[in-house]
Amino acid sequence: MFGMLPFERGNDNIFDTFDNFARDFFRSSNTSLPAFRTDIRDAGDKYVLEAELPGFRKEDISLDVKEGILTISAEHKESSDQKDEKGSYIRRERRYGSFSRSFDISGIDESGITASYTNGVLELSLPKAQPAVPEVRKIAIE
């Protein structure tokens, strides 16, 4: 009867025991989740990349381009302390989070990339590189 529950895989096969253990052990981790959600759309002469980074300040976000790879990094540190009259801690909490994603931007004019950050959404304008037209040169016959 328990094997008929929808969307559950039974553990009836002894050879699947290790696979099921590993799957259940890592199910609660965030390894399958992307660092942050992004949408990329083609706007004709450019691509528009929108990355959701709620809770970050503009100063927490870093954009780097190196050898045709765009890397978006965001790091947030927060600390709150409460002390009594003697300077002893009553409560001390710290939070830290960092995310990073890289994108291949071959075919993009790197010098024309612009970015803005509003209401937790980072928007990048990635202009498409113009294809190089081979130069035609006339050669005079002597």
Side-chain angles (χ1 to χ4, degrees):
M1 175 167 178
F2 293 110
M4 296 185 66
L5 292 175
F7 308 110
E8 290 292 326
R9 183 175 172 189
N11 195 9
D12 299 332
N13 187 343
I14 189 70
F15 298 109
D16 291 337
T17 302
F18 181 75
D19 291 337
N20 291 335
F21 172 77
R23 187 178 303 109
D24 291 339
F25 182 78
F26 291 110
R27 182 178 296 177
S28 62
S29 71
N30 292 335
T31 55
S32 64
L33 297 174
F36 47 85
R37 304 263 184 225
T38 58
D39 296 324
I40 302 172
R41 60 185 152 83
D42 189 344
D45 61 339
K46 65 181 177 180
Y47 293 103
V48 177
L49 184 147
E50 293 177 344
E52 295 178 4
L53 295 165
F56 289 94
R57 295 175 300 148
K58 184 170 62 170
E59 297 79 24
D60 297 336
I61 301 169
S62 173
L63 304 172
D64 299 306
V65 175
K66 182 179 180 183
E67 298 176 3
I69 302 293
L70 167 69
T71 302
I72 303 172
S73 303
E75 181 177 57
H76 182 71
K77 295 179 183 178
E78 184 178 319
S79 175
S80 64
D81 296 338
Q82 286 184 347
K83 297 181 181 182
D84 61 7
E85 309 81 47
K86 299 175 189 173
S88 300
Y89 288 111
I90 295 175
R91 180 175 66 105
R92 184 175 188 187
E93 294 183 1
R94 294 161 300 284
R95 285 188 344 175
Y96 173 80
S98 68
F99 300 104
S100 180
R101 285 193 69 184
S102 296
F103 301 89
D104 178 14
I105 57 169
S106 54
I108 299 296
D109 178 13
E110 293 179 9
S111 63
I113 296 175
T114 59
S116 64
Y117 183 68
T118 309
N119 296 328
V121 177
L122 175 68
E123 182 175 305
L124 278 80
S125 176
L126 307 163
K128 296 178 181 177
Q130 297 300 322
V133 179
E135 182 179 317
V136 177
R137 186 176 69 130
K138 293 279 188 182
I139 300 174
I141 303 173
E142 295 182 30

